[in-house]
Amino acid sequence: MALPAVWSMMRLAIPFISVVGLLSVRLVGAGQDSGSVIPAESRPCVDCHAFEFMQRALQDLKKTAYNLDTR
């Protein structure tokens, strides 16, 4: 006799738990979107940073060599 009561409770509990789970996932996702996040497409890659650093270092070396040559 208790079996039909358990099934009726399960029929109500499973959709309720699913809805609560989906809402909590949305709330967690919304919390992570806030703030000033720069999209990956607009951020330079690590190789680009290294290349720019090496370009500046080479320019500094050229300036230093030129200054030493003119003395």
Side-chain angles (χ1 to χ4, degrees), residues 6-71:
V6 171
W7 282 114
S8 65
M9 288 292 282
M10 291 300 287
R11 281 192 353 220
L12 292 174
I14 290 174
F16 179 73
I17 292 171
S18 299
V19 169
V20 170
L22 288 173
L23 289 175
S24 66
V25 168
R26 279 189 167 181
L27 290 175
V28 168
Q32 291 176 350
D33 290 340
S34 62
S36 58
V37 176
I38 300 171
E41 294 84 19
S42 64
R43 285 182 287 178
C45 61
V46 174
D47 291 338
C48 297
H49 280 299
F51 182 74
E52 291 171 359
F53 176 78
M54 292 302 289
Q55 276 187 326
R56 285 193 301 263
L58 185 59
Q59 288 173 355
D60 290 344
L61 284 174
K62 285 181 181 178
K63 287 179 187 176
T64 304
Y66 178 76
N67 287 339
L68 290 174
D69 285 343
T70 55
R71 286 186 188 178

